[in-house]
Amino acid sequence: MCKTNPAYCTVFGTITDRAIRVSYTNIWYYCLWLKNFRIHFPRATSFAAHAYKRCPGHLVTTLISRNRGDLLLLEQWENSPSYHTKMSAEPVRVLVTGAAGQIAYSLLFGIAKGDVFGKDQPITLILLDITPMLPVLDGVVMELQDCALPLLREVIPTDKEEVAFKDLDAAILVGSMPRREGMERKDLLKANVAIFKSQGAALEKYAKKTVKVLVVGNPANTNCLIAAKSAPSIPKENFSCLTRLDHNRARSQVGMRCGVPATQVKNVIIWGNHSSTQYPDVHHCKVNMAGSDLACFAAVKDDDWLKGAFISTVQQRGAAVIAARKLSSAMSAAKAICDHMRDIWSGTPEGEFVSMGVYSSSNSYGVAEDLIYSFPVHIKDKQWKIVDGLAINDFSRGKMDATAAELVEERDTAVTFLSA
């Protein structure tokens, strides 16, 4: 690296008899990539230099002549504060559990390339799985390395909680005990209570108190509650569970029905449990059609569908995917995880809300206390707030109460195992 400024100097490719034009952004990416992988190139002692200052931040481009070819040396001097901030940023430490599984395989690339925490935020990925899966994790690590991603500082595969949960900024808890043939529901809850009690205790002992925790492994709401109860010094507001997949499914169904992209559908709501009792609610949803926001019922023009087949389709979508591909949702789950964590980190647009399983304390919708229940939320400065004041009709109230009753039953069963 350049002796005068090692953090901002790197070799960018080989040239022959023509100059290579590169963008400011690409220069930074290559500088960071080489810095992360600790590749050092000594400065040539004799070279023909042609320096010019045309790029932002006084980028100096120097042609270096060497015996084995010409190299384009790109130096970024430290008179650009924004550039210096990007290059010197501390990596965010992100844990993904169940990291050898199919959801994680679809998820890790998106995190590592900047889709979640920002295009200029370096990442350290910690991958946790059970001991028999470590050889698979080694393969995942190799693939991440082979992607040559500029933001990926380090990848740490492990089967040890004391390593995995150390100084975390974000924890994405994907791994859980799946329901097996012949397994009673209470047995499934008992097995997952043991997992998330242990992981909650590890968060309590090793992670930063500011860590943001997303629980994906099912039953996600109750697993999230158990993890939060097992980490008493971490604010309950730092825990959430994934209902964004259901939220995205609902947007997509409405969009397809109206003949518009899902991005033109906003403010759908998933109330309650990430289960077949969840309530996909479009009474406050808007659909942008021909440049105007229409109420969902006015846009769809089919009340029976919105109150019947639409709801059951979203509720049963996971089972339909399993029936079709003989595996559970992975690609769509990974996308939803990225959406969820990106919104926590960056916030939600003004006037829009998203669905997220969060602590039910002091909610204005009559949902029982001490549950992780999916609500509509706004997010700003990494803090969520339940959207208050939405009108709830009798149809919606009945479905919201039904999914809450299921969560109360799950919680009461799980808590007995937690104290055992």
Side-chain angles (χ1 to χ4, degrees), residues 134-364:
L134 288 180
V136 178
L137 276 189
D138 288 339
V140 174
V141 171
M142 285 188 278
E143 287 218 64
L144 285 166
Q145 291 169 341
D146 294 348
C147 288
L149 296 166
L151 296 176
L152 188 56
R153 265 316 152 80
E154 189 176 9
V155 185
I156 303 170
T158 185
D159 60 350
K160 296 178 174 57
E161 287 184 341
E162 62 270 23
V163 174
F165 288 86
K166 180 70 173 175
D167 295 331
L168 291 181
D169 296 291
I172 303 172
L173 308 184
V174 178
S176 65
M177 172 69 77
R179 191 165 189 168
R180 295 170 178 165
E181 187 175 354
M183 181 179 281
E184 296 287 338
R185 189 160 161 270
K186 67 178 181 179
D187 295 327
L188 178 66
L189 281 170
K190 184 176 183 179
N192 279 294
V193 164
I195 292 169
F196 286 89
K197 178 180 179 180
S198 177
Q199 293 186 351
L203 285 164
E204 173 77 6
K205 186 173 182 180
Y206 301 111
K208 296 176 182 176
K209 301 309 176 187
T210 55
V211 63
K212 300 297 184 183
V213 183
L214 168 59
V215 176
V216 179
N218 288 318
N221 299 59
T222 300
N223 288 344
C224 183
L225 182 69
I226 295 303
K229 286 180 175 293
S230 302
S233 70
I234 297 174
K236 297 294 183 287
E237 294 76 18
N238 289 20
F239 289 82
S240 58
C241 83
L242 187 73
T243 57
R244 186 59 170 268
L245 176 54
D246 310 303
H247 181 100
N248 288 350
R249 287 166 171 165
R251 290 179 73 193
S252 178
Q253 289 295 315
V254 170
M256 288 189 294
R257 193 77 173 187
C258 295
V260 300
T263 52
Q264 290 179 216
V265 180
K266 66 180 182 181
N267 295 352
V268 301
I269 303 169
I270 303 297
W271 298 99
N273 200 2
H274 175 60
S275 74
S276 60
T277 69
Q278 66 177 264
Y279 171 41
D281 178 8
V282 293
H283 285 89
H284 306 281
C285 169
K286 300 292 185 182
V287 183
N288 188 282
M289 300 184 71
S292 298
D293 282 348
L294 300 180
C296 185
F297 278 83
V300 172
K301 300 178 181 176
D302 189 340
D303 291 14
D304 290 341
W305 180 78
L306 286 171
K307 292 183 176 182
F310 162 73
I311 292 173
S312 60
T313 296
V314 176
Q315 289 174 332
Q316 300 294 335
R317 190 66 163 186
V321 170
I322 292 172
R325 69 186 295 258
K326 313 308 177 189
L327 292 167
S328 60
S329 303
M331 179 169 49
S332 57
K335 167 62 163 54
I337 293 166
C338 288
D339 291 344
H340 180 117
M341 291 302 290
R342 184 192 63 246
D343 285 348
I344 287 180
W345 233 251
S346 302
T348 50
E350 190 68 29
E352 294 187 28
F353 47 78
V354 295
S355 303
M356 188 178 292
V358 297
Y359 235 81
S360 62
S361 299
S362 303
N363 73 88
S364 62

Side-chain angles (χ1 to χ4, degrees), residues 11-143:
V11 174
F12 178 91
T14 301
I15 65 170
T16 52
D17 46 349
R18 66 185 180 88
I20 299 174
R21 291 181 179 269
V22 292
S23 72
Y24 179 60
T25 301
N26 285 338
I27 288 164
W28 173 70
Y29 276 149
Y30 276 92
C31 288
L32 184 56
W33 184 86
L34 289 163
K35 177 174 180 285
N36 291 346
F37 282 85
R38 295 172 173 82
I39 299 174
H40 295 271
F41 295 91
R43 178 185 285 274
T45 55
S46 63
F47 54 88
H50 301 278
Y52 48 92
K53 298 180 180 181
R54 295 181 181 177
C55 298
H58 298 298
L59 177 70
V60 179
T61 305
T62 307
L63 292 176
I64 301 176
S65 296
R66 285 182 144 186
N67 292 335
R68 295 191 177 182
D70 292 329
L71 298 174
L72 184 61
L73 183 69
L74 303 171
E75 296 188 30
Q76 169 60 46
W77 303 108
E78 285 183 86
N79 61 349
S80 172
S82 62
Y83 192 96
H84 177 74
T85 298
K86 290 177 180 179
M87 289 296 295
S88 61
E90 284 297 311
V92 170
R93 291 180 61 86
V94 181
L95 167 66
V96 176
T97 72
Q102 61 162 348
I103 292 177
Y105 193 77
S106 295
L107 170 66
L108 293 170
F109 179 73
I111 295 173
K113 75 183 182 75
D115 289 351
V116 178
F117 299 99
K119 298 297 185 182
D120 58 0
Q121 175 59 63
I123 299 287
T124 294
L125 273 176
I126 303 98
L127 311 182
L128 177 67
D129 217 311
I130 58 176
T131 304
M133 298 305 294
L134 288 180
V136 178
L137 276 189
D138 288 339
V140 174
V141 171
M142 285 188 278
E143 287 218 64

